[in-house]
Amino acid sequence: MCLDADKWDINFIIRSINVTHDEFIRFLGDHGRNHLYQLRTAKWSPPPQDSIKLNVDGSFLQDSRRMGVGGVFRNSSTDFLGGFNGFVGRGDSLEAEMLAVLNGLEFAWMKG
């Protein structure tokens, strides 16, 4: 999904990224799990000129299942434009990652 110059309804965005845990795991299979490892070793690169990049992370504590999310917005000059963080309930690592994306999009939507 790519956000271009068109304005998108926040509900459409939420529906578009609302993937269940089972669907995602089924989609990944063995090849996808290897791909996730490669993504973890990638280095950050700035977005194209006149663009903003959102980087997010979600985590959870296995014992309590508490989830936390956070994210930062940077422009092509790597200037920090804003960020967010917080606890988002109880769940697993995939849910935390997806909620980090959702929180980031909601934050961007509120900031215009």
Side-chain angles (χ1 to χ4, degrees), residues 16-96:
S16 296
I17 64 169
N18 189 13
V19 178
T20 66
H21 182 270
D22 292 341
E23 289 172 329
F24 189 70
I25 295 301
R26 216 174 17 253
F27 168 76
L28 285 180
D30 290 336
H31 174 73
R33 287 184 185 91
N34 293 336
H35 182 66
L36 282 179
Y37 174 75
Q38 291 171 356
L39 290 176
R40 288 185 189 133
T41 60
K43 292 185 179 180
W44 188 86
S45 60
Q49 189 68 29
D50 299 323
S51 296
I52 295 173
K53 189 176 211 177
L54 165 63
N55 289 100
V56 298
D57 191 28
S59 63
F60 87 114
L61 299 172
Q62 193 164 0
D63 293 339
S64 66
R65 303 194 58 80
R66 286 187 57 170
M67 298 183 298
V69 298
V72 296
F73 294 86
R74 293 188 181 274
N75 61 18
S76 56
S77 300
T78 71
D79 298 322
F80 175 78
L81 303 176
F84 65 94
N85 66 67
F87 293 104
V88 291
R90 298 185 191 287
D92 60 30
S93 61
L94 177 61
E95 187 176 3

